[in-house]
Amino acid sequence: MTKYTLNVKGMHCKSCKMLVTDVLEELGASNIVIDVDERKKTGKVAFDYSGDKKNAVSSIEKEGYKVK
């Protein structure tokens, strides 16, 4: 597994955190840690994943967020 850390724009609440967690869990990611800055509407998403990073990014962006 590879450890990834992504900066995600558009995250502003606990529901955003839960949604992104669910998306990553469905892909088989583990050790998911998300810190949301509600004021800046951004999140730092760290996780272990054995799949392609592009797949994880695409899945997050399909939910309406922007991965930087």
Side-chain angles (χ1 to χ4, degrees):
M1 287 219 179
T2 303
K3 181 79 169 178
Y4 293 105
T5 301
L6 306 174
N7 292 309
V8 182
K9 290 179 70 175
M11 297 182 74
H12 58 85
C13 64
K14 290 179 184 179
S15 293
C16 295
K17 183 176 177 176
M18 290 184 339
L19 180 62
V20 172
T21 298
D22 288 347
V23 166
L24 292 172
E25 285 176 344
E26 287 177 11
L27 293 175
S30 61
N31 300 319
I32 302 164
V33 178
I34 302 175
D35 293 314
V36 176
D37 185 333
E38 294 177 7
R39 191 178 50 99
K40 292 182 180 179
K41 297 184 180 175
T42 59
K44 187 172 193 174
V45 181
F47 57 97
D48 295 330
Y49 183 51
S50 60
D52 187 358
K53 179 181 175 181
K54 291 179 184 178
N55 191 29
V57 169
S58 174
S59 294
I60 292 169
E61 290 185 335
K62 283 180 184 175
E63 297 301 325
Y65 302 102
K66 179 67 178 159
V67 179
K68 299 191 263 181

